[in-house]
Amino acid sequence: MNFPIELINKLKSSSRVAVLTGAGISQESGLKTFRDAQDGLWAKYNPTDLASPEAFARDPKLVWDWYAWRREAVKGVRPNQGHYALVEMENKFLTFTLITQNIDGLHRFAGSKNVLELHGNINLVRCSECGTYADEWDEESETVPQCKKCNGLLRPDVVWFGESLPRAELEAAVNASRACEVFFSIGTSGVVQPAASLAHAVRDNGAVVVEINAEETPLTPKANYFFQGKSGEILPELVKLITEF
Ligand code: BV8
Ligand code: ZN
């Protein structure tokens, strides 16, 4: 990939960087992206219909099983070169904030420290009534496991459509986007709000916006740089150039 020298110089002279990632960065780990057709059993459901409080209220077992299936899928995968390149980048900049829409936990698994999980984490399970986190539950149970404290139905600790994002994480993400000198948008179709609006807020503060994605998105026309391709290939190349003295 040909990286313009002014971008390399900008990165070498910057100290505050923010990154937003989406499902695309985990695709090379073998995880389907959110809008990929769901495999087999789930082919007939649209993810946005299952990832909602209404779906859980209507058929808690179906939604619970969908997340149990996805937890299994996440257990079987490892971070890829794109995740590791971001770990290297974090050590390179004075202030580095990794904002992710992903719930797979792969950034932390790869070693990233300052990670803001805007949509929660699929490996965490809490009570849908009292909010108590469950440290273990019977994955084989015929019915949705229940809270030990109040018997409420357990649910994944993720943000469903129509639910608000965790305030602290969202606030930190907005602050990091406002303060950064360079903002990366990586592996996201940029349609889910309010995460997608972070990049647009950045433009207003004069920061440089760099998009790395397999296809163009609504952000592409507004980005200063757009690199089309796989994040697992592009990011290591870019990080190598900015860490070379
Ligand atoms: C809220 C957790 C309100 C669950 C997720 C109309 C207009 C605007 C907004 C709305 C609207 N109607 C409704 C809304 C709001 C809604 C929304 O944005 N809807 C969208 C569909 C229009 N948002 C919400 O509901 C949010 N909450 O607004 O609350 C509110 C306000 C006040 C008080 C109370 C309530 C909550 C949104 C969070 C939903 N939860 N995840 C779960 O995962 O099961 S979102 C889900 O989509 C995932 O987190 C995923 O990450 C996220 C975004 O998708 P992407 O990550 O971008 O993945 P996608 O597949 O789309 O794209 C992948 C990209 O990677 C592609 O472009 C592909 O080309 C690229 N790619 C693939 N491989 C690679 C690659 N790139 C590089 N390398 C590769 N190898
Ligand atoms: Zn409870």
Side-chain angles (χ1 to χ4, degrees), residues 154-225:
L154 295 185
R155 59 165 283 178
D157 189 31
V158 300
V159 179
W160 279 331
F161 286 99
E163 293 187 321
S164 28
L165 277 59
R167 247 167 40 76
E169 281 77 1
L170 183 56
E171 223 167 273
V174 170
N175 293 339
S177 306
R178 285 218 182 103
C180 71
E181 295 162 272
V182 183
F183 181 93
F184 285 86
S185 177
I186 304 171
T188 178
S189 57
V191 294
V192 171
Q193 296 298 349
S197 48
L198 289 172
H200 301 276
V202 167
R203 281 291 284 155
D204 305 345
N205 86 0
V208 166
V209 175
V210 183
E211 182 178 32
I212 297 173
N213 205 60
E215 65 195 355
E216 296 202 359
T217 71
L219 177 65
T220 310
K222 296 199 173 143
N224 299 83
Y225 300 94

Side-chain angles (χ1 to χ4, degrees), residues 108-167:
R108 281 223 181 82
F109 194 95
S112 291
K113 304 266 184 314
N114 186 14
V115 181
L116 298 171
E117 292 179 319
L118 292 186
H119 295 158
N121 188 313
I122 196 167
N123 297 311
L124 298 177
V125 167
R126 62 176 153 86
C127 173
S128 58
E129 302 292 336
C130 71
T132 308
Y133 281 86
D135 44 18
E136 37 108 36
W137 57 87
D138 171 11
E139 282 286 21
E140 308 307 318
S141 138
E142 279 306 305
T143 56
V144 176
Q146 290 172 265
C147 167
K148 288 205 176 72
K149 272 175 77 177
C150 79
N151 265 340
L153 294 181
L154 295 185
R155 59 165 283 178
D157 189 31
V158 300
V159 179
W160 279 331
F161 286 99
E163 293 187 321
S164 28
L165 277 59
R167 247 167 40 76

